[in-house]
Amino acid sequence: MSSQPSDPLAAVDALLAAVEAGHLLPAPAERVRLREAAGLTQAAVAQALGVRIPSIQAWEEGRAEPKPERLQAYRRLLEGLAHRYPAPAPRPHTPPPPGPAHPPAAATPRRPAAKKTARPATTPATAADSRFPHGPLAVLDGDGSAYAMNGTVLDCPATTITELVEWTLNQSGLGAPRLNRNGKDSDPLVVLTASAAVELGLPERLEGREERRSLRLADDHPVVQQIGRARWQLTQRGFGPWARIYRKTDGSTRQCVQLAVLSWDALDARSWPGVATLHPADIARVLGVYAGRVITPRGSTAVCGLELMTALRPPTRAVQENGTWVSGHNPGSLGSQPLDPAPPEAIAEHPVVVNSGWTGGFLNEEAYQWVRDPALLSDEECLLPYAVGLDLNTAFLAASARLTVGLSAPDHFHRPVFNKKIPGSWLADLSHIDLDPRLPSPFTPDGTRPAGPAWYQTHTLAYAQELGHDVHPLEAYLRRETGAYLDPWHDRLKTAYLDTLADLGVTPDLTDADFLTAMAVHQQTDPAMAAVLAAIKATVKGGIGKLRERPQGRTYRNGDPWPAMQRPTWRPDIRAAVISKARVNMHRKLANMVKLTGLYPLAVLSDCVVYPSPGPSPLDFLPYAAPGKPLMGGFRLGPTPGLAKLEGVQEMSWAVDLMEKGLNPARHIKGGDAVLDDGE
């Protein structure tokens, strides 16, 4: 039972007094509307008010209210935003357009969606939208059962792909609301099992030589022709593992359904481990949680990572011109038109490079692949019994936080004065800087000393300044319009990552010893949520890699445009900024570890570092001021992006043997080949 006030009349009087004095805040939903209308992130508001991001999240969800010392400032912010962005007038009720209106399909609870877990996953917000009562997606089996969120099973009578599209749009109640008020609702997704694909006239697998090469059905396939006869259209990528079937309605709007065919490898096992073999109800659970925390899947996790950037920062918004609402640029976004990169930011195949005859070199901002020279190992290090690998949690995600990037086209400058606040590419000579060879150089991916002038991203040169060296660029390509474009992307993925780890029993309040114990078993706690976690991590890495997607196909010729470079999110300079910052962050921790412990790394591979250790645990060599109190600056354990976890343990003699063979122990420390997370 809820507690009752001891004096209801006094409580009512106090509430009326608060209303009279203007001390009450707008409703939580209005707080969100006002912040998003102004294009402010939760991080920006938190910084202005001197609180943490979770506090803003709690205020906007109605789970908590500001304390007195923050209440007045927060109310002043909301009042100022309300003055600039008044709530839109309610629209008059209009009857639905004529046509075959169908109620959402009846839902029948059948099989539970998943086994019990110690801490069940939070229900995604998408399932609560009244327009989409059955959530963002469903998994269709061969008997016409469509498994949606929370164990709901819908009866789908469709026997053809076009009937499935009509049912999905008119009866299923599937879909998800937009992630930004200026964006678009997510199209409903129907995932087809192998039996469902066959029942709908699709091959269980892509068998033909042409189909396998192009990863899509041939244009003369009966299903493709059926779609055309019904006046539906396929996107340019055709009917492949991820297909989008759409029809324009009025103006610029369109109806669209996404399909994913499991037996055509729509869910890559590297990003979705084991998911494709689960029961349809469990597949719906995994994909539904991902949709609620990240985005409705619409392709590979790399595609989802890129699409999430656009969904959170739509290129356009409605603006008023001469009393008429038109589409205008959305401040803080990348816009709706692609921008040519500066020549050093491009790749050799790009038309900007080929057509200009550019020979001035390219940015080489990549992740670390470095092994210390075995001759620099001391006797004391070689006598230590263990080599212990540490892995930084979602290092690229941590690097994207509060990262200022260019939003406009690059301008060329000769002999510019270096400014660490301006994002861009700088030609500078750092070969004179002599650093300890027992650490990798922070200026090159392989950790060797630069040989002469080279192109660097702003963060790399800023770190050279931080280390006490003068920086005198010879030329630069800089951008005048800048912004923290990736902030909402970072915030959403960070929350998704931490929430999913918490579902697996790994929370920020654990001691370091308990954290290591929880991480050792977290994948066995709930395999479905472990798959969501893997997909979130793949979304981060793949999304950053997609910012510089290369041309594909055997028929490609250098200098020809390719599809990826013709989208606004083909931004190799933003990818370089993320990787540069991540590498600088890694070197800063490596250098601080020397100051705090005297320890030097054996090897680094992207976000994994291997140290010699007297014991088999990170607790045996990480710096602590007192038990349970880690020293700042070096590596620290924890689930938050940028903190570290145990990657693996091997004998020191094993690591030395690999180093002498020219191999990287960080690649193998886990007991198998590690994947290089270089953002490609």
Side-chain angles (χ1 to χ4, degrees):
M1 294 178 62
S2 59
S3 61
Q4 301 294 327
S6 58
D7 187 352
L9 290 177
V12 169
D13 289 341
L15 188 60
L16 291 172
V19 173
E20 182 68 24
H23 290 166
L24 296 185
L25 295 172
E30 177 66 1
R31 303 172 197 177
V32 176
R33 185 193 73 80
L34 290 171
R35 176 178 58 76
E36 291 183 345
L40 297 174
T41 64
Q42 291 178 333
V45 175
Q47 183 176 10
L49 297 177
V51 298
R52 297 170 61 245
I53 294 175
S55 297
I56 304 298
Q57 293 171 338
W59 299 349
E60 292 188 348
E61 294 170 5
R63 295 185 285 106
E65 294 295 315
K67 294 181 179 179
E69 61 268 23
R70 297 286 185 272
L71 179 61
Q72 184 176 357
Y74 188 46
R75 188 175 68 251
R76 180 174 179 180
L77 171 65
L78 295 176
E79 289 174 350
L81 295 179
H83 179 72
R84 292 173 173 81
Y85 307 99
R91 296 180 179 178
H93 174 73
T94 56
H102 300 281
T108 306
R110 297 185 184 177
R111 180 180 181 275
K115 299 176 182 178
K116 270 190 175 181
T117 62
R119 184 176 182 268
T122 305
T123 301
T126 50
D129 193 291
S130 60
R131 296 172 299 154
F132 312 115
H134 298 140
L137 56 89
V139 182
L140 182 64
D141 211 342
D143 62 0
S145 297
Y147 295 81
M149 295 293 298
N150 302 324
T152 300
V153 183
L154 310 175
D155 290 320
C156 176
T159 59
T160 66
I161 288 294
T162 53
E163 289 178 0
L164 175 61
V165 171
E166 297 281 0
W167 174 84
T168 303
L169 291 171
N170 298 322
Q171 299 182 58
S172 70
L174 297 175
R178 66 198 67 188
L179 298 180
N180 182 286
R181 66 189 299 266
N182 296 309
K184 299 178 181 178
D185 295 335
S186 290
D187 298 320
L189 168 65
V190 179
V191 180
L192 305 180
T193 63
S195 58
V198 172
E199 287 292 328
L200 294 168
L202 297 171
E204 183 174 345
R205 294 198 171 272
L206 295 176
E207 298 292 353
R209 180 181 300 176
E210 192 63 34
E211 290 173 349
R212 292 184 63 82
R213 183 181 300 133
S214 62
L215 294 177
R216 66 183 189 181
L217 292 180
D219 292 341
D220 60 355
H221 190 278
V223 169
V224 176
Q225 294 183 332
Q226 170 200 123
I227 292 170
R229 286 195 302 269
R231 297 187 178 180
W232 290 98
Q233 298 182 61
L234 290 162
T235 56
Q236 289 185 349
R237 60 183 176 183
F239 203 123
W242 290 89
R244 296 174 71 86
I245 302 175
Y246 71 96
R247 175 191 288 164
K248 292 185 178 180
T249 53
D250 57 329
S252 60
T253 62
R254 71 178 188 178
Q255 294 178 310
C256 183
V257 173
Q258 301 179 101
L259 300 179
V261 187
L262 291 177
S263 57
W264 296 2
D265 299 324
L267 298 180
D268 189 312
R270 293 169 297 180
S271 303
W272 300 95
V275 176
T277 61
L278 297 175
H279 186 278
D282 296 317
I283 297 175
R285 178 189 176 220
V286 171
L287 298 182
V289 171
Y290 178 90
R293 294 179 178 176
V294 182
I295 193 172
T296 302
R298 55 188 65 185
S300 68
T301 48
V303 169
C304 292
L306 200 67
E307 292 286 340
L308 181 62
M309 296 178 194
T310 303
L312 294 169
R313 293 273 200 192
T316 60
R317 64 171 181 171
V319 296
Q320 217 168 14
E321 288 185 3
N322 302 321
T324 303
W325 288 100
V326 298
S327 179
H329 175 68
N330 187 23
S333 75
L334 297 182
S336 56
Q337 298 298 320
L339 298 176
D340 280 338
E345 297 166 350
I347 54 179
E349 303 95 320
H350 198 284
V352 163
V353 175
V354 175
N355 296 339
S356 67
W358 173 261
T359 57
F362 299 97
L363 277 176
N364 189 25
E365 299 288 11
E366 302 294 341
Y368 267 135
Q369 294 189 69
W370 172 82
V371 179
R372 201 203 311 179
D373 184 347
L376 298 178
L377 291 172
S378 67
D379 292 340
E380 292 79 5
E381 288 176 315
C382 292
L383 291 174
L384 290 173
Y386 296 101
V388 177
L390 294 176
D391 180 74
L392 296 184
N393 303 317
T394 56
F396 289 171
L397 183 61
S400 70
R402 322 303 164 242
L403 175 68
T404 301
V405 300
L407 302 178
S408 56
D411 292 318
H412 191 201
F413 297 87
H414 290 281
R415 297 285 179 180
V417 176
F418 178 69
N419 187 334
K420 66 180 181 180
K421 295 183 179 180
I422 301 178
S425 304
W426 312 74
L427 179 64
D429 190 350
L430 303 181
S431 60
H432 63 284
I433 299 178
D434 187 19
L435 299 175
D436 192 323
R438 290 172 292 181
L439 290 177
S441 167
F443 311 127
T444 60
D446 62 3
T448 59
R449 185 171 175 171
W455 289 96
Y456 299 99
Q457 202 276 333
T458 298
H459 280 87
T460 304
L461 283 194
Y463 189 57
Q465 269 193 343
E466 182 182 324
L467 295 175
H469 303 283
D470 290 334
V471 174
H472 302 289
L474 304 173
E475 57 180 303
Y477 287 90
L478 310 176
R479 289 168 168 80
R480 300 180 187 275
E481 184 182 348
T482 64
Y485 171 72
L486 292 174
D487 263 11
W489 186 81
H490 163 272
D491 294 349
R492 185 168 178 84
L493 285 169
K494 177 183 177 181
T495 300
Y497 180 77
L498 291 176
D499 285 351
T500 307
L501 269 178
D503 289 332
L504 295 168
V506 184
T507 56
D509 58 347
L510 295 175
T511 65
D512 284 1
D514 289 341
F515 168 74
L516 292 173
T517 300
M519 286 298 297
V521 299
H522 78 285
Q523 292 187 339
Q524 289 75 46
T525 301
D526 183 347
M529 286 300 100
V532 174
L533 185 69
I536 292 171
K537 293 191 288 186
T539 301
V540 173
K541 297 164 186 171
I544 296 301
K546 278 280 185 181
L547 292 169
R548 198 189 70 171
E549 185 176 358
R550 291 179 176 274
Q552 301 175 11
R554 293 181 299 176
T555 60
Y556 177 77
R557 295 182 303 175
N558 285 358
D560 289 344
W562 62 94
M565 60 158 278
Q566 298 178 61
R567 64 183 182 228
T569 48
W570 198 84
R571 290 295 301 272
D573 56 301
I574 296 180
R575 174 188 177 274
V578 172
I579 297 178
S580 168
K581 185 179 175 183
R583 198 181 66 246
V584 164
N585 287 347
M586 172 66 83
H587 190 275
R588 188 180 289 112
K589 292 179 186 295
L590 297 174
N592 286 337
M593 282 288 288
V594 175
K595 298 174 185 176
L596 295 172
T597 67
L599 288 177
Y600 290 86
L602 301 176
V604 184
L605 181 78
S606 188
D607 48 12
C608 177
V609 56
V610 178
Y611 274 101
S613 172
S617 169
L619 301 176
D620 295 315
F621 67 90
L622 289 180
Y624 289 86
K629 294 185 178 181
L631 289 173
M632 301 294 290
F635 294 99
R636 293 188 296 144
L637 299 175
T640 305
L643 298 187
K645 60 181 178 292
L646 176 64
E647 178 72 0
V649 183
Q650 300 287 345
E651 293 182 355
M652 182 63 180
S653 58
W654 168 91
V656 173
D657 183 56
L658 286 182
M659 295 168 69
E660 290 177 342
K661 293 177 180 177
L663 302 176
N664 193 324
R667 184 180 294 279
H668 307 276
I669 192 74
K670 201 171 184 176
D673 284 352
V675 176
L676 175 61
D677 301 329
D678 64 352
E680 283 293 359

